[in-house]
Amino acid sequence: MNATARDGIRFRVVQTEAGWAAYVAGERGLRRAFLPEADEATVRARVAALAPEAVEAPRLRPELARQLREYFRGRDLALDAPIDWEGITPFRRRVYEALAATAPGETLSYGELARRAGSPGAARGVGSAMAANPFPPFVPCHRVVGSDGSLRGFSGPGGPLFKARLLELEGR
């Protein structure tokens, strides 16, 4: 048995209505999630690049697969996963936790998220945290918008158009 299998770091690929998504989880929770891609090979390549230690487990945490499928159908927008915070800085953890507490369809500016995370004036730091978010859509970075409400700063697959699609799915 290799170290990864012993440590329980696994991944699962899930087909959703928006494409092929994936997530990586360990004993303590979600370690990484991947927004849908147009094809399965692309999402598998992203998993291999960003979580090379993970071993595929087709039955990994079925509740997370169900949540992703329902979310991208627009049926159940409440995503909830235990998160493994290992390797996440205290600032980013505060930002991600504050963002995860926002309601589906609610948007907030980078500055507002910085305030909610207890770091007023750290809007640029929030932007960096959003760009590096390892847990989308469980930590819904698509809900963060410019101070003027513009949809910018989305580095996920599909860019701002996909961000708009996610917000539309959530009823905004």
Side-chain angles (χ1 to χ4, degrees):
M1 176 183 285
N2 65 35
T4 302
R6 185 177 63 244
D7 295 340
I9 301 168
R10 304 191 188 295
F11 77 94
R12 181 173 180 176
V13 175
V14 180
Q15 187 173 20
T16 73
E17 289 197 15
W20 293 88
Y23 54 89
V24 177
E27 300 297 324
R28 292 179 288 186
L30 189 66
R31 296 175 62 103
R32 184 169 281 283
F34 299 86
L35 288 171
E37 297 281 358
D39 60 81
E40 185 178 3
T42 302
V43 79
R44 285 181 177 282
R46 291 190 66 225
V47 171
L50 295 172
E53 74 282 10
V55 173
E56 186 166 11
R59 293 188 179 107
L60 177 66
R61 295 191 182 244
E63 72 282 4
L64 299 184
R66 181 197 57 75
Q67 285 181 40
L68 285 171
R69 286 186 186 110
E70 293 300 304
Y71 177 82
F72 287 108
R73 282 184 184 124
R75 291 188 185 158
D76 185 357
L77 302 172
L79 294 168
D80 183 35
I83 293 178
D84 181 348
W85 296 107
E86 183 180 333
I88 305 297
T89 67
F91 170 75
R92 285 190 176 176
R93 180 174 178 169
R94 289 191 315 272
V95 168
Y96 295 150
E97 287 178 329
L99 182 54
T102 63
E106 176 185 358
T107 59
L108 63 165
S109 70
Y110 294 89
E112 175 59 24
L113 182 52
R115 283 189 289 287
R116 289 185 188 186
S119 297
R124 286 186 184 268
V126 166
S128 293
M130 294 303 94
N133 177 13
F135 311 111
F138 295 95
V139 172
C141 52
H142 62 277
R143 295 180 189 156
V144 183
V145 298
S147 59
D148 61 357
S150 62
L151 302 183
R152 59 180 161 180
F154 190 71
S155 58
L161 290 176
F162 191 66
K163 181 175 190 165
R165 183 175 169 202
L166 293 175
L167 290 171
E168 196 175 293
L169 183 76
E170 293 182 358
R172 177 175 176 260

